[in-house]
Amino acid sequence: MGKILVTGGAGFIGSNFVHYVIANTDHHVTVLDKLTYAGNVESITHLPGERLTFVQGDIADPSVVEPLVAASDVLVHYAAESHNDNSLHDPRPFLDTNIIGTYTLIEAARKHGKRFHHISTDEVYGDLELDDPERFTENTPYNPSSPYSSTKAGSDLLVRAWVRSFGLQATISNCSNNYGPYQHVEKFIPRQITNVIDGIRPKLYGKGENVRDWIHANDHSSAVLAIIDKGRIGETYLIGADGEKNNKDVVELILSHMGQDNDAYDHVVDRPGHDLRYAIDSTKLRTELDWKPEFSNFEAGIEDTIKWYRDNEAWWRPQKAETEAKYKEQGQ
Ligand code: NAD
Ligand code: TDX
């Protein structure tokens, strides 16, 4: 493999992947990241300089992308506008980055004949009923609900078309909800942990019955490396760790591990179009590529994550007040 170009490597999952690659392989990593409100270069600047190059730039700008792609062996594409709530208030950046940005990258990968791995989400499949015995598989039809998930679905379809029409050497992975260190405080788990630290009651959208299928970011990273190493070109792999939990149970777990009463949270206005349940069947990844998750104990993972936010207040504090002010305007 050698030289990996990681887009969005200053964001949550991208930075966890960069940490994982540096700890577990000999590859050199170049990160291309625009440093939007969601990017934080401090998530990666403490890593060894000889293993990592950081470039600030936009994935939708061919003059930035072309030379970096030409100089790399493999591209792993994490960069995205990633937050559903933001996409409901201002969808435009989601089209620019998730659609045009992905198009710009696959054009460069095609031109230079480079291996491309596209990071996507289970949200492209829409949602499931709470009592549906089925889970998402690679054959589930696309049915995205939000501006965010529809742009991710669009980007997946671009990659598939580039494989079929132009022979792009690409794979795709669709992962479930990640948790772990370096996640922006706008997202559910870090928002509630940092709220409790600040003496604010956690906020549950609607009744809190919505189910997410949680996976630790490190397990996402090991799965992506397995796909890059052994995945079949043109294939899609679903990544999940059998971590279904409803939001109410997650909030109660956080409260109990932070010394609060289990019911010390508020119900707030629901997200419009809020997906009810996601659930991943990762049989293909497990059987074909012999992958399995390491973090099977969600409670222990949440405890570690709470500790990380307690120990790293300097990392998240600058974003907290602005994020909560935005939620307050939305009644959330
Ligand atoms: P994030 O919002 O934390 O990070 C996104 C990063 O991309 C940021 O560093 C940001 O600065 C960068 N970026 C945004 N626009 C850019 C542009 N135009 N050019 C260059 N860089 C740009 O997101 P995340 O939660 O780490 O998600 C990363 C990827 O994983 C996304 O593609 C997302 O769809 C996917 N994903 C996320 C989850 C999850 O639970 N968070 C689950 C499945 C898949
Ligand atoms: O304060 C909150 N209260 C609440 O009840 C917030 C921020 C969220 N929620 C709910 C909404 C969801 O049911 O918690 C659940 C998780 O919310 P998010 O963290 O916003 O994640 P979600 O919308 O599920 O999407 C995430 O997983 C799939 C990522 O943000 C996406 O990038 C990824 O594709």
Side-chain angles (χ1 to χ4, degrees), residues 4 64-65 130 138 147 158 175 178 211 218 237 260 273 277 327:
I4 311 185
V64 172
V65 164
L130 294 179
E138 288 77 6
L158 291 175
C175 188
N178 285 222
V211 170
N218 273 1
Y237 296 89
Q260 308 288 312
R277 172 174 163 241
Y327 276 127

Side-chain angles (χ1 to χ4, degrees), residues 11-13 33-34 36 39 58-59 78 82 97 120 148 152 178:
F12 164 45
I13 309 179
D33 197 296
K34 190 178 174 182
T36 67
D58 190 335
I59 57 163
Y78 287 90
S82 69
T97 290
S120 192
Y148 161 69
K152 290 299 292 187
N178 285 222

Side-chain angles (χ1 to χ4, degrees), residues 61-290:
D61 180 348
S63 70
V64 172
V65 164
E66 283 266 343
L68 293 174
V69 170
S72 305
D73 300 314
V74 183
L75 284 80
V76 188
H77 173 33
Y78 287 90
E81 284 294 334
S82 69
H83 195 37
N84 277 298
D85 292 324
N86 292 343
S87 80
L88 295 161
H89 293 93
D90 183 15
R92 178 61 196 245
F94 290 75
L95 289 135
D96 293 337
T97 290
N98 301 359
I99 302 282
I100 302 298
T102 301
Y103 158 74
T104 308
L105 289 166
I106 56 181
E107 275 294 81
R110 162 162 93 109
K111 180 170 163 192
H112 296 284
K114 301 295 172 156
R115 173 83 171 83
F116 185 85
H117 181 70
H118 181 61
I119 301 292
S120 192
T121 169
D122 57 359
E123 296 191 17
V124 299
Y125 301 115
D127 60 356
L128 299 162
E129 292 300 326
L130 294 179
D131 60 356
D132 192 333
E134 299 298 318
R135 298 187 289 172
F136 298 139
T137 73
E138 288 77 6
N139 299 319
T140 304
Y142 274 41
N143 188 26
S145 312
S146 73
Y148 161 69
S149 53
S150 62
T151 58
K152 290 299 292 187
S155 69
D156 293 10
L157 297 181
L158 291 175
V159 175
R160 288 185 183 195
W162 260 239
V163 169
R164 169 132 183 191
S165 299
F166 305 123
L168 183 72
Q169 298 291 294
T171 40
I172 298 176
S173 55
N174 298 79
C175 188
S176 60
N177 283 62
N178 285 222
Y179 73 97
Y182 301 106
Q183 187 169 28
H184 194 280
V185 290
E186 71 189 352
K187 301 296 194 317
F188 179 53
I189 288 176
R191 183 182 184 206
Q192 314 314 338
I193 294 171
T194 55
N195 274 355
V196 175
I197 291 173
D198 279 355
I200 304 169
R201 286 161 69 93
K203 310 292 178 209
L204 261 188
Y205 293 176
K207 288 189 194 153
E209 285 171 349
N210 306 64
V211 170
R212 296 295 182 264
D213 189 352
W214 294 100
I215 181 172
H216 194 280
N218 273 1
D219 284 333
H220 189 175
S221 295
S222 66
V224 168
L225 270 186
I227 296 166
I228 294 167
D229 282 348
K230 302 182 277 185
R232 284 181 295 136
I233 296 302
E235 292 291 316
T236 290
Y237 296 89
L238 262 54
I239 305 174
D242 300 330
E244 282 188 70
K245 301 262 177 295
N246 76 30
N247 294 338
K248 190 165 161 291
D249 288 347
V250 174
V251 160
E252 288 177 357
L253 187 67
I254 291 170
L255 283 165
S256 73
H257 279 286
M258 297 185 77
Q260 308 288 312
D261 291 341
N262 272 5
D263 60 354
Y265 58 82
D266 296 327
H267 290 280
V268 294
V269 60
D270 207 352
R271 174 185 284 171
H274 195 174
D275 280 339
L276 188 52
R277 172 174 163 241
Y278 306 135
I280 290 267
D281 177 347
S282 58
T283 304
K284 178 176 174 181
L285 176 69
R286 290 172 194 245
T287 53
E288 209 177 274
L289 304 187
D290 201 21

